[in-house]
Amino acid sequence: MTDTILFENAAILDGTAEGAVPGHVLVEGGTIKEVSDKPIVAASARHIDLRGRTLMPGLIDAHVHVVASIVNLGLNAMLPDAVIAFRAAKIMNGMLMRGFTTVRDLGGATHGLRMARDEGHFDGPRLNICGKALSQTGGHCDFRGRHDTRDTAFFAARLGTLGRLVDGVPDVRRACREEIKAGADYIKIMANGGVASPTDPIAFVGFSKEEVLSSVEEAENAGTYVAAHLYTDSAIHRAVECGVRSLEHCNLIQSPTARFAAERGAIACPTLVTYQALKDEGASLGLPAESVAKIDDVRTAGLRSLEIMRDAGLMMAFGTDLLGDMHRHQSSEFVIRGQVLPAIEVIRSATINAAKLLVAEGSIGCVAPGALADLIVVEGDPLKDLSLLAGQGEHLSAIMLGGRFVKDALAA
């Protein structure tokens, strides 16, 4: 049962202003009913004085893989579905306890997993999904290795696999339609080589232009958009030309392409923490040697890419892209970005910018009347110290999901 809660004397921070704004917030029936700079009268509510604390919308991680329970994604695909599902529930609960109340899965999670969460079988963030990501044979979702000739259909239906292999325009169209029919909120394509896959160097371009265009058309026909895995400048430029809206990673982007993407209304979703984590821990956690060798191709350019995109006016959302035991580093993305970006811009990436990317403006990522009551209470001011959002939620005294506390240490 959802209680009526009145947060009083809060420093409200959601990125809509240049800083925190003092105010009072009334939560009722799972949504935010009222936000005011004057005291709110609500006699039947539980009154919580947040003086000295910051009230923020629940954070949004716009690039996760909740089914990636181990770093070696080829082996992950071979695990039984039941094991993957239980591990995913644990991974998602960890995300929620770090203050992430919504996550966008970029390949692997299914509508069935979302149903299990929505039915209350475990506490986890709201789940926005693409279903299985689309990759060409030999692309970033082909984990078979050079000498593995098993049929691709063997992997496609497994919960632990991140994507499916499709070749040619008819296959791409059918796959888009099947994923949307199965509950996908958007379409994900692998339009560049990647680190974790064994046979595609970073510079490889995924899919023909006609295949990319067909995925964009199918997504638009369904009222949604395409997200693309991208690293190299030329691949990013081509994707934007084809109408791709969500640009994942973008480590090697250059200024003209960033400006072009901004003019077209695209949104970038950098994921810097995963490359540092892979560099530090990937080999010890089972990342194959051919993947380890590719990490620095993109890792060292990460911080510079943030500066390039900021200067070009290209909107950025918050993403992490972590795998297996490295999910615990999720919130370190805040600190990494804070090395080159103002704290308010980093916070916007995980609130209002991410909400726009998920086509959920006004519903999540903000503290406003009518929005879902997904809220976190931070002990201190994240604008002065982004590390208050890092770790495992140690500095979060409360986490609310749909008006219900999943963590409440406010009384203490």
Side-chain angles (χ1 to χ4, degrees):
M1 184 175 180
T2 303
D3 295 323
T4 301
I5 306 291
L6 177 58
F7 295 105
E8 298 177 299
N9 305 309
I12 302 169
L13 177 62
D14 64 2
T16 56
E18 289 304 313
V21 177
H24 311 268
V25 177
L26 180 64
V27 170
E28 187 175 285
T31 61
I32 297 173
K33 184 176 182 181
E34 186 177 352
V35 179
S36 177
D37 59 356
K38 297 180 175 61
I40 297 171
V41 177
S44 62
R46 174 189 170 189
H47 290 239
I48 300 174
D49 190 346
L50 291 187
R51 196 179 306 274
R53 300 177 171 116
T54 303
L55 182 67
M56 295 180 62
L59 304 171
I60 304 167
D61 190 334
H63 192 125
V64 304
H65 296 285
V66 300
V67 302
S69 64
I70 57 176
V71 173
N72 187 320
L73 296 176
L75 295 180
N76 195 77
M78 300 304 297
L79 292 170
D81 285 2
V83 171
I84 291 291
F86 279 104
R87 289 182 178 179
K90 185 176 181 180
I91 288 169
M92 291 174 68
N93 184 259
M95 292 176 174
L96 181 61
M97 291 300 104
R98 294 180 204 108
F100 291 94
T101 54
T102 299
V103 297
R104 185 180 65 148
D105 189 273
L106 270 286
T110 63
H111 182 61
L113 188 60
R114 179 166 57 190
M115 283 179 63
R117 178 264 173 208
D118 291 351
E119 290 177 2
H121 299 296
F122 61 93
D123 272 337
R126 302 179 192 278
L127 191 55
N128 185 271
I129 66 171
C130 68
K132 300 300 181 183
L134 310 187
S135 165
Q136 68 180 41
T137 296
H140 189 44
C141 274
D142 193 341
F143 294 97
R144 294 176 298 170
R146 299 200 184 280
H147 311 296
D148 186 342
T149 58
R150 278 175 293 181
D151 186 88
T152 59
F154 173 80
F155 298 94
R158 304 183 70 86
L159 182 58
T161 190
L162 268 59
R164 55 191 290 185
L165 305 186
V166 291
D167 297 293
V169 169
D171 271 4
V172 171
R173 289 192 184 280
R174 176 177 291 276
C176 290
R177 293 170 184 176
E178 287 178 348
E179 294 302 336
I180 290 167
K181 172 183 175 294
D185 297 301
Y186 66 100
I187 295 296
K188 166 75 178 298
I189 64 172
M190 300 299 193
N192 237 167
V195 171
S197 42
T199 62
D200 58 330
I202 297 298
F204 272 25
V205 178
F207 291 122
S208 68
K209 189 172 184 178
E210 291 73 23
E211 289 169 317
V212 177
L213 286 166
S214 67
S215 70
V216 171
E217 183 179 27
E218 291 300 330
E220 290 178 347
N221 287 348
T224 189
Y225 67 93
V226 170
H229 162 96
L230 296 159
Y231 287 124
T232 64
D233 186 71
S234 59
I236 297 167
H237 195 281
R238 188 186 72 147
V240 174
E241 282 185 322
C242 291
V244 170
R245 177 174 179 267
S246 180
L247 312 174
E248 310 304 311
H249 314 304
C250 297
N251 297 52
L252 305 177
I253 195 169
Q254 299 301 309
S255 296
T257 295
R259 289 193 295 269
F260 175 58
E263 291 165 2
R264 289 292 186 96
I267 300 174
C269 189
T271 58
L272 301 191
V273 67
T274 191
Y275 308 109
Q276 190 59 52
L278 286 169
K279 178 73 172 178
D280 295 341
E281 303 175 17
S284 66
L285 292 175
L287 188 70
E290 59 267 24
S291 294
V292 172
K294 293 190 281 185
I295 295 170
D296 278 346
D297 291 349
V298 293
R299 183 184 68 88
T300 55
L303 288 176
R304 177 59 183 149
S305 74
L306 296 185
E307 295 177 325
I308 289 170
M309 291 187 282
R310 176 199 62 199
D311 293 345
L314 179 57
M315 181 176 286
M316 289 180 276
F318 183 100
T320 55
D321 194 29
L322 291 160
L323 310 173
D325 289 342
M326 291 183 287
H327 278 108
R328 72 188 190 281
H329 298 303
Q330 183 179 26
S331 299
S332 296
E333 181 80 16
F334 287 105
V335 178
I336 292 173
R337 294 191 186 204
Q339 295 176 39
V340 295
L341 298 177
I344 188 63
E345 291 187 26
V346 180
I347 287 167
R348 283 174 178 145
S349 74
T351 54
I352 55 175
N353 291 3
K356 183 174 182 179
L357 180 56
L358 272 62
V359 198
E361 293 172 280
S363 179
I364 58 174
C366 62
V367 181
L372 294 168
D374 297 350
L375 299 164
I376 61 173
V377 176
V378 186
E379 294 294 314
D381 183 358
L383 288 174
K384 295 180 180 177
D385 184 4
L386 281 171
S387 69
L388 294 175
L389 299 176
Q392 308 307 310
E394 296 92 340
H395 303 289
L396 307 182
S397 51
I399 301 168
M400 176 177 277
L401 183 64
R404 175 177 64 91
F405 282 111
V406 293
K407 177 180 180 179
D408 183 4
L410 292 169

